[in-house]
């Protein structure tokens, strides 16, 4: 492992304080907090931004994208109500940090990323760290039909509407969490599929990079 993938008592201390701060902001799911205490976020930030990895804010990554703010990661993951063994589809792998959190919680994770460079980097990093997520370079609007249906679906990019295909890939009793709305702000929506119908709850306001469509080169 290269020196960049070294945890340290100092980073562990900063991480514990960050988790305490997130808990104080209202995250009560202990499994979420435990996972956040275990995953070294500084492995997932740009090397030049390591010193900011345990501040509660989004940071830039390659391809003009961002690694979400830790509170936002915790908030979305808590809404998802992940149980060990759940089959989870994530749209927007980005740095792979959220993917690692879902793996730590015992999820069987499938994650799709539109940007090839981010896909390649996250794949290499997650493998190196021993996380067994399945990653794919592609357009998340299509979901991942060959592994559907999913217990949980998470969008980590802001969409004007949930791509309808994704609802089709959600199991009965499943949950889908997505930030919905035009830039600059989205409202977090939680959908629960019950008896074939979708129940929707609207939660807090957040800012996400947009879910895009792009010709894959
Ligand atoms: N979960 C990520 C957050 C990344 S930001 C993390 O923890 O770092 C959202 C990501 O969604 C970006 O990497 C962006 O490239 C990706 N994205 C945008 N549109 C997409 C699409 N249609 N399909 C898949 N990924 C997409």
């Amino acid at each position: 492992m290269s020196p960049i993938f070294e945890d340290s008592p100092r980073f562990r201390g900063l991480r514990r304080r960050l988790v305490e701060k997130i808990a104080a902001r209202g995250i009560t799911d202990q499994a979420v907090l435990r996972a956040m205490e275990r995953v070294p976020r500084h492995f997932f930030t740009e090397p030049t931004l390591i010193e900011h990895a345990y501040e509660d804010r989004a940071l830039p990554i390659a391809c003009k994208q961002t690694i979400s703010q830790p509170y936002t990661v915790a908030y979305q993951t808590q809404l998802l109500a992940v149980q060990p063994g759940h089959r989870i589809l994530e749209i927007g792998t980005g740095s792979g940090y959220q993917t690692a959190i879902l793996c730590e919680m015992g999820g069987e994770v499938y994650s799709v990323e539109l940007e090839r460079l981010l896909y390649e980097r996250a794949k290499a990093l997650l493998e190196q760290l021993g996380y067994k997520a399945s990653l794919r370079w592609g357009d998340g609007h299509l979901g991942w039909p060959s592994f559907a249906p999913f217990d949980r679906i998470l969008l980590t990019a802001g969409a004007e509407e949930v791509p309808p295909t994704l609802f089709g890939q959600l199991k009965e009793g499943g949950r889908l969490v997505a930030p919905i709305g035009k830039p600059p702000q989205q409202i977090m929506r939680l959908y629960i599929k019950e008896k074939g119908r979708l129940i929707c709850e609207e939660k807090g306001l957040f800012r996400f990079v947009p879910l895009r469509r792009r010709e894959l080169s």
Side-chain angles (χ1 to χ4, degrees), residues 1 4-7 40-45 50 53-54 125 129:
M1 245 187 210
I4 215 165
F5 298 125
E6 271 173 20
D7 208 359
R41 189 171 184 255
H42 67 279
F43 293 173
F44 295 85
T45 55
I50 276 180
Y54 297 105
L125 177 57
L129 298 175

Side-chain angles (χ1 to χ4, degrees), residues 31-32 34-40 82 84 97-107 109 129 131:
V32 173
R34 263 199 310 276
M36 294 193 70
E37 193 153 337
R38 281 205 208 104
V39 179
V82 175
Y97 175 70
Q98 171 78 71
T99 318
I101 295 288
L102 297 171
C103 289
E104 277 289 347
M105 295 178 74
V109 188
L129 298 175
Y131 291 113

Side-chain angles (χ1 to χ4, degrees), residues 62-120:
C63 308
K64 300 199 177 92
Q65 302 306 308
T66 56
I67 174 171
S68 302
Q69 182 179 346
Y71 174 73
T72 306
V73 170
Y75 190 92
Q76 286 199 292
T77 312
Q78 175 163 284
L79 283 182
L80 217 51
V82 175
Q83 296 292 326
H86 272 164
R87 183 174 281 209
I88 307 170
L89 175 66
E90 178 190 22
I91 306 299
T93 317
S95 68
Y97 175 70
Q98 171 78 71
T99 318
I101 295 288
L102 297 171
C103 289
E104 277 289 347
M105 295 178 74
E108 182 188 312
V109 188
Y110 298 82
S111 185
V112 182
E113 169 58 51
L114 191 68
E115 294 285 351
R116 183 159 199 160
L117 179 67
L118 293 175
Y119 155 75
E120 282 171 354

Side-chain angles (χ1 to χ4, degrees), residues 32-210:
V32 173
L33 297 171
R34 263 199 310 276
M36 294 193 70
E37 193 153 337
R38 281 205 208 104
V39 179
R41 189 171 184 255
H42 67 279
F43 293 173
F44 295 85
T45 55
E46 291 291 303
T48 51
L49 296 174
I50 276 180
E51 285 304 320
H52 301 283
Y54 297 105
E55 292 167 15
D56 192 15
R57 61 168 165 127
L59 293 170
I61 55 173
C63 308
K64 300 199 177 92
Q65 302 306 308
T66 56
I67 174 171
S68 302
Q69 182 179 346
Y71 174 73
T72 306
V73 170
Y75 190 92
Q76 286 199 292
T77 312
Q78 175 163 284
L79 283 182
L80 217 51
V82 175
Q83 296 292 326
H86 272 164
R87 183 174 281 209
I88 307 170
L89 175 66
E90 178 190 22
I91 306 299
T93 317
S95 68
Y97 175 70
Q98 171 78 71
T99 318
I101 295 288
L102 297 171
C103 289
E104 277 289 347
M105 295 178 74
E108 182 188 312
V109 188
Y110 298 82
S111 185
V112 182
E113 169 58 51
L114 191 68
E115 294 285 351
R116 183 159 199 160
L117 179 67
L118 293 175
Y119 155 75
E120 282 171 354
R121 284 189 181 174
K123 190 170 167 59
L125 177 57
L126 290 166
E127 269 170 21
Q128 197 167 355
L129 298 175
Y131 291 113
K132 292 191 174 44
S134 303
L135 266 55
R136 178 184 187 177
W137 173 48
D139 185 347
H141 285 89
L142 306 174
W144 199 333
S146 46
F147 291 104
F150 297 94
D151 297 286
R152 302 290 186 258
I153 298 180
L154 175 63
L155 276 75
T156 70
E160 286 189 27
E161 280 305 329
V162 176
T165 313
L166 299 183
F167 286 132
Q169 293 181 15
L170 187 63
K171 269 189 202 169
E172 174 60 30
R175 288 177 166 230
L176 181 150
V177 172
I180 299 296
K182 290 189 180 153
Q185 212 165 242
Q186 291 80 31
I187 188 148
M188 196 66 75
R189 281 197 193 158
L190 164 65
Y191 290 91
I192 303 178
K193 204 185 228 185
E194 270 181 21
K195 301 194 181 94
R197 290 181 52 229
L198 288 162
I199 298 164
C200 174
E201 287 176 32
E202 295 207 322
K203 306 288 180 179
L205 292 170
F206 293 85
R207 279 166 198 260
F208 281 79
V209 294

